[in-house]
Amino acid sequence: MTFRTVAVIGAGTIGLSWTALFASHDMDVWVSDPRPDLADAVAGALEAFAPHLGRDVADLAPRVHLAADVAEAVRHADVVQENGPENVEFKRELFATLVREAPAHTLLLSSSSAIPSTAFADELDDASRVLIGHPFNPPHLIPLVEVVPGERTSAESVDRAVEFYRFVGRTPVVERKEIPGFVGNRLQNALSREAIYLVEQGVVSPSEVDAVMTNSLGIRWSTVGPFLGSHLGGGPGGYRHMAEHIGKSMKKMWAGLGQPSQNPEEQERLIEAVESAYGSSTYSELSEARDRKQLAVLSALDSAGSTRKEEN
């Protein structure tokens, strides 16, 4: 199927990033958001993100249109990418509008980062084309999109979602079961919990946790992921050797992983520690540095190629 027109509902950080990405793939993008500065926000995002996408802002801007409301945004859309608040009732009401106003063929995707689509599609007349397309921030740079069908999502809609995200250069991974937080955020939260515990216990500071990650696991996992990393860590015997010889000590370590208290006093200490480490730089300075580094990693990975087969 050809994807010509996409509607972006919600123009916050994620929605603006999606807008630039979709426009860079020569789609007409209709953006809807009640924010009073919508025109300035879109223009600023296109100017900031166009260089990341190897495009000139003058090429992207004519493809992006501001809609007066949701109905206008979705009127001719092949795909809708929703980026509203993480609130079940909000999404339930919005998707009822999307089902009513969008053409019958329109794919209805949500960037929800924690709420499965079944939770807000349960009362819809047609939930067959509603599912999750959860990105990682910023989606115009980070390739992963978690494609998570709901209980009433059709197989055809899942296939079309995978096709769409590949069309815009992303790496879709279809998840077979709905689970709160999906896969990426659950993994991230598990690591964050231990990182917070280690800081609370005075083992390391927030910046030292970041140094550990960016100089070890971050490098390894960005190239091979945790399972292939362990498979290689087992030497010629692979993951079997790793599991049979180190598995017992790993299980003992799991039992000792921390549960941070995060009471108000501990939370405030953690906030102050992070602000002390990074507060001297502005959000723009930090995010621009992050994006430069992420682009460099993506470029290096692309140059090196991949030995892994796509699995969906």
Side-chain angles (χ1 to χ4, degrees):
M1 178 178 180
T2 301
F3 300 103
R4 296 186 178 90
T5 304
V6 60
V8 174
I9 309 301
T13 302
I14 299 297
L16 291 172
S17 180
W18 277 130
T19 297
L21 176 70
F22 297 153
S24 75
H25 285 79
D26 299 328
M27 303 177 71
D28 286 321
V29 186
W30 286 82
V31 185
S32 173
D33 191 296
R35 61 187 296 176
D37 64 339
L38 180 59
D40 290 339
V42 169
L46 293 179
E47 186 168 349
F49 301 153
H52 298 168
L53 297 162
R55 299 294 294 270
D56 191 296
V57 68
D59 296 330
L60 303 187
R63 296 192 172 278
V64 180
H65 316 277
L66 306 185
D69 53 29
V70 170
E72 182 182 21
V74 306
R75 186 169 298 152
H76 303 293
D78 299 308
V79 179
V80 173
Q81 185 77 47
E82 175 268 330
N83 314 279
E86 287 290 299
N87 179 286
V88 171
E89 291 306 319
F90 173 88
K91 291 186 186 297
R92 180 175 286 126
E93 183 177 341
L94 175 59
F95 273 82
T97 300
L98 297 177
V99 168
R100 183 175 64 249
E101 300 292 344
H105 75 278
T106 306
L107 195 59
L108 305 177
L109 301 163
S110 174
S111 296
S112 171
S113 60
I115 304 172
S117 65
T118 297
F120 56 82
D122 53 345
E123 298 177 1
L124 295 178
D125 293 335
D126 177 15
S128 66
R129 51 200 173 116
V130 177
L131 67 165
I132 301 299
H134 173 239
F136 265 57
N137 184 37
H140 75 280
L141 290 185
I142 304 299
L144 176 70
V145 182
E146 296 179 278
V147 175
V148 190
E151 292 176 1
R152 296 166 60 198
T153 306
S154 69
E156 178 188 6
S157 293
V158 175
D159 291 343
R160 288 180 60 213
V162 168
E163 181 184 1
F164 171 66
Y165 287 124
R166 286 179 177 162
F167 174 73
V168 294
R170 303 303 86 189
T171 302
V173 174
V174 177
E175 296 173 11
R176 296 170 182 82
K177 294 181 179 180
E178 290 183 302
I179 187 169
F182 316 123
V183 174
N185 276 337
R186 292 178 72 90
L187 292 172
Q188 180 174 246
N189 287 340
L191 182 60
S192 293
R193 185 180 76 172
E194 185 63 18
I196 292 169
Y197 176 78
L198 291 170
V199 173
E200 277 189 0
Q201 295 300 307
V203 179
V204 281
S205 69
S207 62
E208 288 167 340
V209 170
D210 289 346
V212 169
M213 285 299 303
T214 55
N215 289 280
S216 62
L217 295 177
I219 297 171
R220 178 183 296 168
W221 287 351
S222 73
T223 57
V224 296
F227 279 113
L228 180 52
S230 295
H231 183 59
L232 295 172
Y239 193 82
R240 180 178 298 278
H241 178 82
M242 173 72 76
E244 291 176 349
H245 289 78
I246 307 179
K248 290 182 180 179
S249 61
M250 288 176 63
K251 289 179 182 178
K252 290 180 181 178
M253 195 178 299
W254 291 343
L257 290 176
Q259 180 65 49
S261 65
Q262 279 298 275
N263 58 47
E265 293 79 13
E266 289 289 357
Q267 186 175 49
E268 182 60 28
R269 275 195 286 270
L270 180 63
I271 291 170
E272 290 176 357
V274 174
E275 290 176 341
S276 176
Y278 301 116
S280 60
S281 299
T282 66
Y283 170 79
S284 294
E285 290 169 340
L286 292 171
S287 59
E288 287 170 8
R290 174 202 64 191
D291 292 346
R292 284 197 305 272
K293 293 175 182 178
Q294 290 181 158
L295 281 165
V297 170
L298 291 169
S299 177
L301 290 172
D302 185 59
S303 297
S306 175
T307 59
R308 288 177 291 173
K309 298 178 181 178
E310 274 190 353
E311 295 183 12
N312 284 300

